[in-house]
């Protein structure tokens, strides 16, 4: 399946949204199954006329005769999720940057407090499903994108998340939690608490996923896996291999051989 990944056109949205893609309904399509791997984005998936089952590390999407909008949020996963479509359906999936959704949702920790291994319904505004239905019914793709961006712009409320932004930058630079607590004059417990509230996961989990994702981006620049591990904040190659076994559940050699890491959607088709 060839998907076009769109970057936001609006300058403001570019700060908060990494991008989005569309799946178009096709009743003649074959079943589609793929695995998606851990990342630090917050993913909003919106679909039209479907039934969705989400349990543990599996999501099953089937067409439904019921006219509905089903929207869910995936804010945290540290193992692969297997996505299974009986047939292709109408879907819009939006990737928000780690702090991106905070400026559009008043109490995002309401969602972050829910069990991330189960379906979490995402219906944050009184007009959300109605407006998403209208967007699905637009046939011109550029008009569809424009309307989608205008909708999110209408919900934007600027927030001061400068402290968390600095913490994220420090975590990505491999700063230790104890060092950060001393630097910002807060306890380790409070640091972890505010990180969980705004990012949806612990600092150590964020760091581990960041290393994994950065190694994917840097893969083509490295001569071999040893150089790749050393250049991406892994302690050694054993640490590199262990993280791959923990996150994508594959060793690096198998992963890079079977997954197209050049695409925005890093998936393993089954």
């Amino acid at each position: 399946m060839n998907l076009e990944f769109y970057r936001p056109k609006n300058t403001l949205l570019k700060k908060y949204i990494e991008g989005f893609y569309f799946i178009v309904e096709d009743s003649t399509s074959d079943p589609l199954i793929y695995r998606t791997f851990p990342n630090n984005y917050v993913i909003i998936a919106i679909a039209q006329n479907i039934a969705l089952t989400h349990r543990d590390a599996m999501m099953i999407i089937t067409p439904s005769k019921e006219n509905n909008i089903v929207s869910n949020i995936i804010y945290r996963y540290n193992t692969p999720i297997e996505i299974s479509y009986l047939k292709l359906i109408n879907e819009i999936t939006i990737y928000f940057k780690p702090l991106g959704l905070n400026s559009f949702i008043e109490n995002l920790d309401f969602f972050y407090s829910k069990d991330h291994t189960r379906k979490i319904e995402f219906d944050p505004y009184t007009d959300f499903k109605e407006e998403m239905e209208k967007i699905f019914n637009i046939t011109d793709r550029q008009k569809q994108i424009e309307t989608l961006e205008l909708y999110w712009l209408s919900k934007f409320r600027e927030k001061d998340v400068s402290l968390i932004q600095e913490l994220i930058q420090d975590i990505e630079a491999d700063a230790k939690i104890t060092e950060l607590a001393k630097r910002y004059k807060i306890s380790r417990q409070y640091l972890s608490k505010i990180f969980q509230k705004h990012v949806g996961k612990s600092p150590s989990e964020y760091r581990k996923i960041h290393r994994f994702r950065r190694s994917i981006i840097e893969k083509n620049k490295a001569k071999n896996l040893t150089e790749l591990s050393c250049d991406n904040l892994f302690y050694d190659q054993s640490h590199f291999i262990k993280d791959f076994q923990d996150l994508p559940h594959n060793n690096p050699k198998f992963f890079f051989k079977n997954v197209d890491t050049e695409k925005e959607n890093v998936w393993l088709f089954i």
Side-chain angles (χ1 to χ4, degrees), residues 152-269:
W152 283 105
L153 283 170
S154 73
K155 304 301 181 183
F156 176 74
R157 302 290 183 273
E158 190 168 11
K159 291 184 180 178
D160 181 9
V161 290
S162 54
L163 173 59
I164 309 300
Q165 285 176 327
E166 290 179 23
L167 287 172
I168 285 177
Q169 290 171 358
D170 291 334
I171 293 294
E172 290 180 351
D174 209 31
K176 301 297 181 286
I177 306 301
T178 303
E179 296 172 0
L180 293 179
K182 289 181 179 178
R183 185 184 307 170
Y184 292 98
K185 297 181 172 58
I186 55 179
S187 68
R188 285 175 53 112
Q189 292 79 6
Y190 182 69
L191 189 156
S192 295
K193 182 178 179 180
I194 60 174
F195 207 90
Q196 172 67 40
K197 178 178 179 179
H198 292 280
V199 184
K201 55 177 67 74
S202 70
S204 58
E205 187 177 349
Y206 182 96
R207 186 205 320 270
K208 187 174 183 178
I209 294 172
H210 173 72
R211 276 197 301 249
F212 163 64
R213 283 285 168 172
R214 196 170 95 166
S215 70
I216 292 175
I217 295 171
E218 299 294 324
K219 168 63 171 61
N220 292 331
K221 300 177 184 179
K223 295 178 182 177
N224 49 50
L225 294 181
T226 300
E227 182 175 285
L228 183 63
S229 63
C230 292
D231 289 347
N232 288 281
L233 304 178
F234 293 96
Y235 305 129
D236 52 33
Q237 192 167 0
S238 296
H239 179 213
F240 178 55
I241 293 170
K242 182 180 183 304
D243 271 14
F244 264 75
Q245 290 171 335
D246 289 346
L247 294 174
H249 288 185
N250 296 122
N251 64 54
K253 187 175 181 180
F254 176 91
F255 180 86
F256 287 116
K257 181 180 179 181
N258 291 279
V259 177
D260 187 351
T261 58
E262 293 296 315
K263 294 186 176 181
E264 289 85 354
N265 296 312
V266 179
W267 296 343
L268 174 63
F269 289 94

Side-chain angles (χ1 to χ4, degrees), residues 91-105:
E91 179 181 311
I92 302 170
T93 298
I94 308 168
Y95 287 74
F96 282 86
K97 295 181 180 182
L99 286 175
L101 198 54
N102 287 269
S103 293
F104 300 87
I105 306 294

Side-chain angles (χ1 to χ4, degrees), residues 1-251:
M1 178 176 62
N2 292 321
L3 288 181
E4 185 167 358
F5 191 85
Y6 298 92
R7 307 286 180 180
K9 294 182 178 181
N10 181 272
T11 303
L12 177 64
L13 290 182
K14 287 178 181 179
K15 294 172 58 179
Y16 303 95
I17 297 176
E18 182 69 16
F20 43 85
Y21 65 84
F22 299 81
I23 296 176
V24 178
E25 179 182 6
D26 183 355
S27 60
T28 65
S29 68
D30 293 327
L32 173 69
I33 304 175
Y34 66 86
R35 290 195 186 112
T36 179
F37 302 101
N39 64 47
N40 284 321
Y41 296 133
V42 178
I43 303 169
I44 305 298
I46 311 142
Q48 186 182 43
N49 306 336
I50 69 154
L52 169 65
T53 302
H54 183 185
R55 59 178 181 273
D56 299 324
M58 181 176 289
M59 296 179 67
I60 302 170
I61 300 101
T62 56
S64 172
K65 293 181 180 179
E66 180 183 357
N67 293 325
N68 63 18
I69 295 293
V70 175
S71 180
N72 64 300
I73 179 172
I74 302 170
Y75 72 89
R76 179 186 180 193
Y77 63 112
N78 48 29
T79 59
I81 297 179
E82 186 169 294
I83 313 290
S84 176
Y85 294 87
L86 181 63
K87 300 286 183 183
L88 295 185
I89 46 81
N90 287 328
E91 179 181 311
I92 302 170
T93 298
I94 308 168
Y95 287 74
F96 282 86
K97 295 181 180 182
L99 286 175
L101 198 54
N102 287 269
S103 293
F104 300 87
I105 306 294
E106 186 61 35
N107 297 307
L108 190 53
D109 52 324
F110 167 78
F111 295 102
Y112 288 170
S113 66
K114 295 183 178 294
D115 181 358
H116 66 279
T117 66
R118 296 291 187 267
K119 173 188 172 184
I120 303 175
E121 183 178 2
F122 184 77
D123 188 13
Y125 321 112
T126 57
D127 66 345
F128 182 72
K129 290 189 175 182
E130 178 184 353
E131 293 303 314
M132 292 302 108
E133 180 77 33
K134 292 178 183 177
I135 291 170
F136 275 119
N137 293 333
I138 297 172
T139 56
D140 180 84
R141 179 50 49 83
Q142 294 307 314
K143 180 65 176 176
Q144 202 175 30
I145 292 171
E146 179 185 338
T147 307
L148 181 66
E149 291 197 10
L150 285 173
Y151 179 77
W152 283 105
L153 283 170
S154 73
K155 304 301 181 183
F156 176 74
R157 302 290 183 273
E158 190 168 11
K159 291 184 180 178
D160 181 9
V161 290
S162 54
L163 173 59
I164 309 300
Q165 285 176 327
E166 290 179 23
L167 287 172
I168 285 177
Q169 290 171 358
D170 291 334
I171 293 294
E172 290 180 351
D174 209 31
K176 301 297 181 286
I177 306 301
T178 303
E179 296 172 0
L180 293 179
K182 289 181 179 178
R183 185 184 307 170
Y184 292 98
K185 297 181 172 58
I186 55 179
S187 68
R188 285 175 53 112
Q189 292 79 6
Y190 182 69
L191 189 156
S192 295
K193 182 178 179 180
I194 60 174
F195 207 90
Q196 172 67 40
K197 178 178 179 179
H198 292 280
V199 184
K201 55 177 67 74
S202 70
S204 58
E205 187 177 349
Y206 182 96
R207 186 205 320 270
K208 187 174 183 178
I209 294 172
H210 173 72
R211 276 197 301 249
F212 163 64
R213 283 285 168 172
R214 196 170 95 166
S215 70
I216 292 175
I217 295 171
E218 299 294 324
K219 168 63 171 61
N220 292 331
K221 300 177 184 179
K223 295 178 182 177
N224 49 50
L225 294 181
T226 300
E227 182 175 285
L228 183 63
S229 63
C230 292
D231 289 347
N232 288 281
L233 304 178
F234 293 96
Y235 305 129
D236 52 33
Q237 192 167 0
S238 296
H239 179 213
F240 178 55
I241 293 170
K242 182 180 183 304
D243 271 14
F244 264 75
Q245 290 171 335
D246 289 346
L247 294 174
H249 288 185
N250 296 122
N251 64 54

